[in-house]
Amino acid sequence: MKINRRRRLIRTFNLLDQPIRFNPFVFSRTFFMWAVTGLVGGIIAGGYWIVLEHFTEFLAEFQGWQVIPTMAICGLLAGLVIHFIGDPGEIHLIVNNIRFNKGKLEPKNNPSMILSSLFCVASGGSLGPEAPLVQVTGSTGTWLGKIFRLKGEELRSLSIAGMASGFTALFGAPLGGSLFSLEILHHKHAVEYYKAIIPALVASCFSYLMFALIIHLGIGATWDLKAYHYTGVYDFLYATLFGIVGTFFGWIFIFVVKFFKKIFEYRQFPIYIKTFVGGIILGIIAYNFPITRYFGHNEINQLIGGNFGLNFLILILVFKILAIAITVTSGWRGGFIIPLFFVGTTLGLIIHNLFPGVDTTLAIVSCMAAINACVTRTPMSTTIILGTLTGFTYFVPILFASLTGYFLAPRIPFIGSQSEKLVEE
């Protein structure tokens, strides 16, 4: 029976390998591969999000001083998962595998990534779920590519499409997610992966559709910023100036991360000791400044509508940067894009407090764009994603700020593997 099933499977794939006859359209069998990748990615993202929401609600019951032992225990459990099941790696490993491992992302690390990131994100770490989703859906794209018997650039393209599907599901921006999956790989040589843009876009659209169906997601801005009204060409100058401020704090963030990385790597302790210590420190910060807890998806709206004073905003800015840096360097798992948007929001509000005549929305979005473009080297996708998340329909000022962050970024990128020259496969 097994031999017969195997033969039928082989015959099916042989049929898939054949071109569609009498097809008057552009799409071919590869379109269905991309669509399947997106649908599977959307299902994974939807399931992950539902579990994450329920786990977060459970852990959110622990308030006040209880947040310290809660985050410490969750950090310890995350470290034990990584220690015994396997290290899922970080974003630089994904970049390296796509570039140097023939586009293959290994699914074997997914259980460790899912479990460890759930503990880290749900308990209140300052990292978001975007990196775990990109890892899991990207490796799923690799797995599907092997099932479809793809090799070379086709397999790489399907892995990238899987990454885009995971990123898009969370941010709700198919075009932005597709571009991000290319830009994050190598900021100077994204053109080398241009063949993957259509697969990534198709997978992103189907992923977003499936994700929206699962969690009943509506269409609209995520963060409640005031409507922006264009006042003239000077707005582009303001966006650039705000972008310089955001970039400056992008540099600060990078150096703070390097500082804490040296501290946590000073002695070779097991990963679960580092995550446990990190959890204690993060718990203390969250106890004193509750709004710094979590990765910022809901907290950004609290900032915008909170009418906080200047001194409090400065403290939030300082301790949020510290919280993100400690979360990154102590071994906790997650992504830092939305936390950086939180930092950008705080910066924009500080600028508005100092200069009340400044348009708050323009200041916030410009700082968001610049700090993220500075750290991730993704100016195009950052612009589109922020336009979707904030409802800021005037893309040009955001682009000015994003390009400011990109061109004023440190020559040595934060994601180290972005600086390496791509070698021939």
Side-chain angles (χ1 to χ4, degrees):
M1 292 298 292
K2 289 183 179 180
I3 295 176
N4 290 334
R5 280 201 300 269
R6 190 174 299 173
R7 286 175 178 172
R8 285 197 297 270
L9 192 62
I10 291 173
R11 283 198 297 269
T12 302
F13 285 129
N14 285 335
L15 288 173
L16 287 173
D17 284 337
Q18 295 176 8
I20 301 175
R21 297 181 180 180
F22 310 112
N23 178 17
F25 305 107
V26 172
F27 77 84
S28 62
R29 70 179 183 89
T30 53
F31 173 87
F32 298 103
M33 295 181 190
W34 307 334
V36 169
T37 302
L39 290 172
V40 174
I43 293 171
I44 293 171
Y48 181 93
W49 185 261
I50 290 173
V51 173
L52 177 63
E53 278 192 325
H54 284 87
F55 196 25
T56 302
E57 289 175 4
F58 169 73
L59 293 176
E61 297 294 327
F62 300 96
Q63 299 289 335
W65 65 268
Q66 294 177 330
V67 73
I68 300 174
T70 298
M71 296 188 71
I73 292 171
C74 285
L76 175 62
L77 292 174
L80 290 172
V81 167
I82 295 170
H83 180 76
F84 288 106
I85 300 181
D87 190 348
E90 298 174 357
I91 189 66
H92 69 86
L93 181 61
I94 298 176
V95 174
N96 270 339
N97 284 341
I98 288 292
R99 296 176 60 212
F100 300 120
N101 194 30
K102 300 180 180 178
K104 299 175 184 177
L105 298 176
E106 295 298 335
K108 66 180 181 181
N109 295 323
N110 287 349
S112 176
M113 175 61 86
I114 292 172
L115 288 174
S116 60
S117 65
L118 282 174
F119 282 116
C120 295
V121 177
S123 63
S126 287
L127 291 179
E130 61 271 19
L133 281 180
V134 167
Q135 162 68 30
V136 174
T137 55
S139 60
T140 301
T142 300
W143 176 71
L144 289 172
K146 291 178 179 179
I147 289 179
F148 291 128
R149 298 192 296 181
L150 300 181
K151 295 180 180 179
E153 288 303 317
E154 287 187 328
L155 178 60
R156 191 197 307 271
S157 294
L158 207 63
S159 298
I160 294 174
M163 291 170 56
S165 71
F167 196 82
T168 295
L170 180 63
F171 288 96
L175 182 56
S178 303
L179 286 175
F180 181 86
S181 64
L182 300 182
E183 281 190 296
I184 197 69
L185 295 178
H186 201 282
H187 65 284
K188 290 184 178 179
H189 298 88
V191 69
E192 295 174 359
Y193 311 106
Y194 76 97
K195 291 182 180 179
I197 186 63
I198 297 300
L201 190 57
V202 172
S204 293
C205 289
F206 279 91
S207 172
Y208 182 63
L209 174 64
M210 184 58 63
F211 185 75
L213 286 172
I214 292 174
I215 70 167
H216 307 291
L217 184 68
I219 295 177
T222 301
W223 299 315
D224 303 325
L225 291 170
K226 296 178 181 178
Y228 163 72
H229 300 286
Y230 175 71
T231 59
V233 293
Y234 285 109
D235 281 7
F236 303 134
L237 174 62
Y238 291 142
T240 303
L241 292 175
F242 301 149
I244 292 173
V245 175
T247 305
F248 175 72
F249 279 89
W251 277 72
I252 290 176
F253 168 75
I254 291 172
F255 282 110
V256 171
V257 169
K258 290 182 177 180
F259 172 75
F260 279 103
K261 187 176 182 180
K262 289 181 180 178
I263 291 177
F264 279 103
E265 292 181 352
Y266 182 72
R267 293 285 181 88
Q268 293 298 319
F269 292 108
I271 183 68
Y272 51 85
I273 299 297
K274 294 180 181 180
T275 53
F276 176 69
V277 173
I280 294 174
I281 301 173
L282 292 171
I284 293 172
I285 294 175
Y287 170 68
N288 289 282
F289 302 97
I291 200 170
T292 63
R293 191 182 180 189
Y294 303 110
F295 61 98
H297 184 76
N298 298 315
E299 289 69 29
I300 287 176
N301 278 332
Q302 294 179 28
L303 266 181
I304 295 170
N307 195 25
F308 297 112
L310 178 61
N311 291 337
F312 183 77
L313 287 172
I314 292 173
L315 288 174
I316 292 300
L317 176 67
V318 171
F319 282 98
K320 187 62 177 180
I321 291 175
L322 290 175
I324 301 171
I326 292 167
T327 310
V328 170
T329 54
S330 64
W332 285 45
R333 291 297 183 262
F336 45 78
I337 294 173
I338 297 181
L340 287 177
F341 287 160
F342 181 97
V343 173
T345 303
T346 312
L347 270 176
L349 291 172
I350 289 173
I351 291 173
H352 177 70
N353 270 267
L354 292 172
F355 307 99
V358 166
D359 187 287
T360 313
T361 299
L362 181 62
I364 288 174
V365 175
S366 297
C367 290
M368 280 179 160
I371 191 170
N372 188 67
C374 173
V375 175
T376 65
R377 308 291 180 97
T378 57
M380 292 186 293
S381 54
T382 294
T383 301
I384 297 171
I385 288 168
L386 277 177
T388 302
L389 293 175
T390 63
F392 196 101
T393 55
Y394 297 87
F395 283 104
V396 180
I398 310 178
L399 187 57
F400 269 68
S402 294
L403 290 175
T404 300
Y406 173 75
F407 285 110
L408 295 182
R411 183 175 293 274
I412 300 175
F414 178 72
I415 302 173
S417 50
Q418 286 182 330
S419 64
E420 298 172 9
K421 186 177 179 181
L422 184 65
V423 298
E424 295 296 328
E425 306 267 359

